[in-house]
Amino acid sequence: MMRPVRLSSLLLALAFASGVTACGDQVTKVVAGDVTTGSDVPLSDIAPGDGVIDTAGPDAIGPDVPAGTGRLEFVQIKGDDGLSCEGTDHCKIKLSFAEERTVQVRYLENDSPVLGKNVRFEIQADPNGLGQLTSFSAPSNSDGIASVGVRSAQAVAGTFEVKVTVSDAGVAPLFFTIEVSSKIQVPLTIIGEYNGVRPEVVTYKARIYRETGSAKPTCDDIEKLFGSTSDWESADHNLFPLVQSITKADFVDLQNDSPQKYTIIVYSTKANSNLVLAWGCDDENGTVSFGQGTTVTIELLDRPPKYAGTYKVTSIFDLVSALPPPIDTIVDSLLELFKSPVGGALDLMCSFIGDVSVIEDVCGFIFDDPTNPSTDELTSTGGIVVNILDALIKSLAKGSIFGDVLAVGGDISDMLTAFTVSGLITILQEPDADGVWVKGQLREEWSSVTVKWSLGQNCDPFTDTNCGKQEFGFGAIQSGSPVSAELTGFVDDFFDLTIDLHPLNVAYGSLLDYILQNVLLPLLAGDGSDGGPVINSYELLLKSLVGGKDCLKPGFPKTCCEAFSDSVIGGGANIGKTLIVSACDAFIQLGATTISDQLNNLGTDTGGAFQIGTMMPCKMIDPDQNLVIDGFGSPGQPCLWDVRLKVFGASTTIESMFWGARL
């Protein structure tokens, strides 16, 4: 009876001495001096210091690959210390005495996951024998992932490492640093991340909001949620230079009321201020349970500024730049008339209505080349006429108007080439998460026109930019519906505003005609304040130009053209006088009607003919850095409008710029 026992003991001793026992294809090993058997042993049956079974055997699944083509990487993105495991060979795991954790790695060849690769796990740097694994090897799955369980074999605080390798010599190992602690597992750990552009973001806090049957806080409206009462708020923790994790260990009655679901906000404020610069939110992963730890990583994003509000917008347009021929020549000649009186008068007479035979005769009488009139190329008789016209222009200065007009010629040009419109852009609500405003959230309205006329004003136009400015309501210029539009647009990078191209009900021709006749001409030629006639039409302007303003007074014995003829060749009847009077009458009649009709028939009043939007993103500004937009552009650095005008069926553009300030 005793012999079989002694024989079996001998066989067992021989097996231990060889280190290997064969039983079919199964291979068992002695690990770290511990005995393993040919079958798996439950983790609960392994006493501290006992071995752990490795039944996977050598790399029987999948061939070895040449050195350098394979690699191991951590599946876990961050360790329990909040530091990244990606791109490193160490990752930290925290264990409590009664806790078991799974450690995972991924095996790849040429950056592709490999199925069936045998991955080995080995405990090292463990002088107190704390570490215990469920297996010393595991094959990789279809995602290349191999995993084993790890726990503490003793209720003793300390650390050990788990080294992870494959058989290929060229594959670098990975190391899990396992920290064993007697502390109860922290239910919630929050880790903040920040990759924004604001250097003031260096610390962060966390707030949690519990989800119950009646209250389910979400991240859909973080502004609203942040303004509500939270269930808990942390102290400040560092984001830089190293991220500090935020932990919460005490939850009300978590042992009996588990699990609990929370929405989490992390945020960073400006130093010595409550102004939130960046924040993030998670309403999915904040579930805490008794005896378990949950780690939630949340990225803080730069908080967008406040946009909603009303902004006073100043737009400056070059109204002449969009005029098609021959209207551009007409308006240019009118402007030239006051900037260079003789040249303007000759242009008006011989350029734009030179196809009338009687005027052609007069132009041929004055210019060497009547098809291309120039004051530098006059006939001998034309020189006399120019001198007479100079005298007539000077006579227009009666009542102290034109002699001083030449000194403020820039004002005249600016009225049309720097035409100023005031209005409002109202942002009714904040943009969506993509920075977009849809129709109904932005509104534009033009309210008034400002012109500048510094003549006779008690101010210095060279030092006072507001000298002589006069404002006219748009209702007087364009009757009917107000000039307004519903806009769409978006903002990029918080400060780059784009307003989409949109139609605006501007009667461009009527606007230009109104300014010329009702604003520009009275200011230039007479508004009646001196007791003289009011010059508020093209016809009256041309008549006063050729005959002087006296010819417009009631009871004057001659027509303005007759007075002009008498001034040129004297009184009495002759063929020359008749020619001049006929040419003058034709000039006044055709000139006045041509200008007005051409302007009012621009055809821009309907059909979205006037369209406007930003030419390029307009820079919004927040100079006091309180995350409330104060305006966009500035007089020194204006934004540019893209203005498109359809005139006579053809599209043209208007040179323009703008800026705005919050009211």
Side-chain angles (χ1 to χ4, degrees), residues 27 80 135 169 172 174 293 297 307 354 383 391 412 523 565 625 642:
V27 178
D80 292 346
S135 177
L174 298 181
T297 301
Y307 304 95
I412 303 168
L523 289 172
S565 176
Q625 298 183 355
D642 176 12

PDB file of all heavy atoms in Angstrom, residues 27 80 135 169 172 174 293 297 307 354 383 391 412 523 565 625 642:
ATOM      1  N   VAL A  27       0.424  22.371 -21.766  1.00  0.00           N
ATOM      2  CA  VAL A  27       1.699  22.701 -21.151  1.00  0.00           C
ATOM      3  C   VAL A  27       1.432  23.494 -19.899  1.00  0.00           C
ATOM      4  O   VAL A  27       0.656  24.433 -19.918  1.00  0.00           O
ATOM      5  CB  VAL A  27       2.588  23.521 -22.111  1.00  0.00           C
ATOM      6  CG1 VAL A  27       3.896  23.888 -21.430  1.00  0.00           C
ATOM      7  CG2 VAL A  27       2.857  22.730 -23.389  1.00  0.00           C
ATOM      8  N   ASP A  80      -4.819  56.273 -13.914  1.00  0.00           N
ATOM      9  CA  ASP A  80      -5.595  56.765 -12.769  1.00  0.00           C
ATOM     10  C   ASP A  80      -4.969  57.997 -12.134  1.00  0.00           C
ATOM     11  O   ASP A  80      -5.592  58.644 -11.285  1.00  0.00           O
ATOM     12  CB  ASP A  80      -5.739  55.654 -11.717  1.00  0.00           C
ATOM     13  CG  ASP A  80      -6.623  54.515 -12.210  1.00  0.00           C
ATOM     14  OD1 ASP A  80      -7.321  54.717 -13.222  1.00  0.00           O
ATOM     15  OD2 ASP A  80      -6.598  53.434 -11.593  1.00  0.00           O
ATOM     16  N   SER A 135      -4.155  35.456 -15.246  1.00  0.00           N
ATOM     17  CA  SER A 135      -3.416  34.646 -16.212  1.00  0.00           C
ATOM     18  C   SER A 135      -2.137  35.382 -16.560  1.00  0.00           C
ATOM     19  O   SER A 135      -2.083  36.615 -16.504  1.00  0.00           O
ATOM     20  CB  SER A 135      -4.247  34.395 -17.477  1.00  0.00           C
ATOM     21  OG  SER A 135      -3.498  33.676 -18.432  1.00  0.00           O
ATOM     22  N   ALA A 169      11.509  39.858 -30.498  1.00  0.00           N
ATOM     23  CA  ALA A 169      12.575  40.604 -29.841  1.00  0.00           C
ATOM     24  C   ALA A 169      12.482  42.097 -30.116  1.00  0.00           C
ATOM     25  O   ALA A 169      12.910  42.918 -29.302  1.00  0.00           O
ATOM     26  CB  ALA A 169      13.936  40.067 -30.303  1.00  0.00           C
ATOM     27  N   ALA A 172       8.920  46.446 -28.084  1.00  0.00           N
ATOM     28  CA  ALA A 172       9.227  46.980 -26.754  1.00  0.00           C
ATOM     29  C   ALA A 172       8.124  46.617 -25.766  1.00  0.00           C
ATOM     30  O   ALA A 172       6.938  46.631 -26.106  1.00  0.00           O
ATOM     31  CB  ALA A 172       9.390  48.497 -26.824  1.00  0.00           C
ATOM     32  N   LEU A 174       5.588  46.948 -22.371  1.00  0.00           N
ATOM     33  CA  LEU A 174       4.831  47.979 -21.671  1.00  0.00           C
ATOM     34  C   LEU A 174       4.782  47.622 -20.189  1.00  0.00           C
ATOM     35  O   LEU A 174       4.910  46.443 -19.816  1.00  0.00           O
ATOM     36  CB  LEU A 174       3.410  48.092 -22.233  1.00  0.00           C
ATOM     37  CG  LEU A 174       3.259  48.496 -23.699  1.00  0.00           C
ATOM     38  CD1 LEU A 174       1.781  48.568 -24.070  1.00  0.00           C
ATOM     39  CD2 LEU A 174       3.945  49.816 -23.989  1.00  0.00           C
ATOM     40  N   GLY A 293     -15.346  52.894  -8.701  1.00  0.00           N
ATOM     41  CA  GLY A 293     -14.834  54.212  -9.068  1.00  0.00           C
ATOM     42  C   GLY A 293     -15.172  54.550 -10.504  1.00  0.00           C
ATOM     43  O   GLY A 293     -15.068  53.707 -11.396  1.00  0.00           O
ATOM     44  N   THR A 297     -13.507  62.135 -18.023  1.00  0.00           N
ATOM     45  CA  THR A 297     -12.624  63.145 -18.604  1.00  0.00           C
ATOM     46  C   THR A 297     -13.445  64.079 -19.483  1.00  0.00           C
ATOM     47  O   THR A 297     -14.190  63.619 -20.355  1.00  0.00           O
ATOM     48  CB  THR A 297     -11.503  62.487 -19.432  1.00  0.00           C
ATOM     49  OG1 THR A 297     -10.743  61.618 -18.590  1.00  0.00           O
ATOM     50  CG2 THR A 297     -10.586  63.538 -20.028  1.00  0.00           C
ATOM     51  N   TYR A 307     -23.210  87.847 -28.057  1.00  0.00           N
ATOM     52  CA  TYR A 307     -23.401  88.632 -29.277  1.00  0.00           C
ATOM     53  C   TYR A 307     -24.709  89.419 -29.280  1.00  0.00           C
ATOM     54  O   TYR A 307     -24.792  90.494 -29.891  1.00  0.00           O
ATOM     55  CB  TYR A 307     -23.394  87.719 -30.504  1.00  0.00           C
ATOM     56  CG  TYR A 307     -22.153  86.877 -30.643  1.00  0.00           C
ATOM     57  CD1 TYR A 307     -22.105  85.563 -30.161  1.00  0.00           C
ATOM     58  CD2 TYR A 307     -21.013  87.380 -31.258  1.00  0.00           C
ATOM     59  CE1 TYR A 307     -20.969  84.790 -30.295  1.00  0.00           C
ATOM     60  CE2 TYR A 307     -19.868  86.616 -31.399  1.00  0.00           C
ATOM     61  CZ  TYR A 307     -19.858  85.312 -30.916  1.00  0.00           C
ATOM     62  OH  TYR A 307     -18.725  84.543 -31.042  1.00  0.00           O
ATOM     63  N   GLY A 354     -24.607 116.203 -76.366  1.00  0.00           N
ATOM     64  CA  GLY A 354     -23.997 116.787 -77.544  1.00  0.00           C
ATOM     65  C   GLY A 354     -24.592 116.326 -78.850  1.00  0.00           C
ATOM     66  O   GLY A 354     -24.180 116.787 -79.914  1.00  0.00           O
ATOM     67  N   GLY A 383     -12.187 130.727 -76.368  1.00  0.00           N
ATOM     68  CA  GLY A 383     -11.501 131.323 -75.235  1.00  0.00           C
ATOM     69  C   GLY A 383     -12.283 132.460 -74.628  1.00  0.00           C
ATOM     70  O   GLY A 383     -12.311 132.645 -73.401  1.00  0.00           O
ATOM     71  N   ALA A 391     -17.087 134.414 -65.655  1.00  0.00           N
ATOM     72  CA  ALA A 391     -17.808 135.546 -65.074  1.00  0.00           C
ATOM     73  C   ALA A 391     -19.184 135.118 -64.588  1.00  0.00           C
ATOM     74  O   ALA A 391     -19.658 135.560 -63.539  1.00  0.00           O
ATOM     75  CB  ALA A 391     -17.929 136.672 -66.097  1.00  0.00           C
ATOM     76  N   ILE A 412     -18.452 118.509 -51.197  1.00  0.00           N
ATOM     77  CA  ILE A 412     -19.370 118.218 -52.298  1.00  0.00           C
ATOM     78  C   ILE A 412     -19.138 116.806 -52.812  1.00  0.00           C
ATOM     79  O   ILE A 412     -20.071 116.025 -52.994  1.00  0.00           O
ATOM     80  CB  ILE A 412     -19.161 119.243 -53.433  1.00  0.00           C
ATOM     81  CG1 ILE A 412     -19.359 120.659 -52.912  1.00  0.00           C
ATOM     82  CG2 ILE A 412     -20.095 118.968 -54.589  1.00  0.00           C
ATOM     83  CD1 ILE A 412     -18.910 121.732 -53.864  1.00  0.00           C
ATOM     84  N   LEU A 523     -27.858 123.322 -50.850  1.00  0.00           N
ATOM     85  CA  LEU A 523     -26.683 123.698 -50.087  1.00  0.00           C
ATOM     86  C   LEU A 523     -25.677 124.449 -50.942  1.00  0.00           C
ATOM     87  O   LEU A 523     -25.023 125.395 -50.492  1.00  0.00           O
ATOM     88  CB  LEU A 523     -26.023 122.451 -49.490  1.00  0.00           C
ATOM     89  CG  LEU A 523     -26.768 121.764 -48.344  1.00  0.00           C
ATOM     90  CD1 LEU A 523     -26.085 120.450 -47.992  1.00  0.00           C
ATOM     91  CD2 LEU A 523     -26.842 122.658 -47.122  1.00  0.00           C
ATOM     92  N   SER A 565     -27.604 135.076 -73.207  1.00  0.00           N
ATOM     93  CA  SER A 565     -27.226 135.552 -74.538  1.00  0.00           C
ATOM     94  C   SER A 565     -26.777 137.005 -74.495  1.00  0.00           C
ATOM     95  O   SER A 565     -25.770 137.368 -75.120  1.00  0.00           O
ATOM     96  CB  SER A 565     -28.412 135.390 -75.497  1.00  0.00           C
ATOM     97  OG  SER A 565     -28.113 135.923 -76.766  1.00  0.00           O
ATOM     98  N   GLN A 625     -12.465  92.712 -22.914  1.00  0.00           N
ATOM     99  CA  GLN A 625     -12.294  91.280 -22.664  1.00  0.00           C
ATOM    100  C   GLN A 625     -13.245  90.752 -21.589  1.00  0.00           C
ATOM    101  O   GLN A 625     -12.859  89.953 -20.732  1.00  0.00           O
ATOM    102  CB  GLN A 625     -10.844  90.975 -22.288  1.00  0.00           C
ATOM    103  CG  GLN A 625      -9.848  91.314 -23.377  1.00  0.00           C
ATOM    104  CD  GLN A 625      -8.423  90.938 -23.033  1.00  0.00           C
ATOM    105  OE1 GLN A 625      -8.136  90.488 -21.932  1.00  0.00           O
ATOM    106  NE2 GLN A 625      -7.509  91.112 -23.966  1.00  0.00           N
ATOM    107  N   ASP A 642     -20.144  93.880 -49.353  1.00  0.00           N
ATOM    108  CA  ASP A 642     -20.246  93.416 -50.731  1.00  0.00           C
ATOM    109  C   ASP A 642     -21.628  93.847 -51.219  1.00  0.00           C
ATOM    110  O   ASP A 642     -22.630  93.234 -50.877  1.00  0.00           O
ATOM    111  CB  ASP A 642     -20.097  91.891 -50.781  1.00  0.00           C
ATOM    112  CG  ASP A 642     -20.285  91.327 -52.183  1.00  0.00           C
ATOM    113  OD1 ASP A 642     -20.305  92.119 -53.143  1.00  0.00           O
ATOM    114  OD2 ASP A 642     -20.414  90.092 -52.312  1.00  0.00           O
TER     115      ASP A 642
END
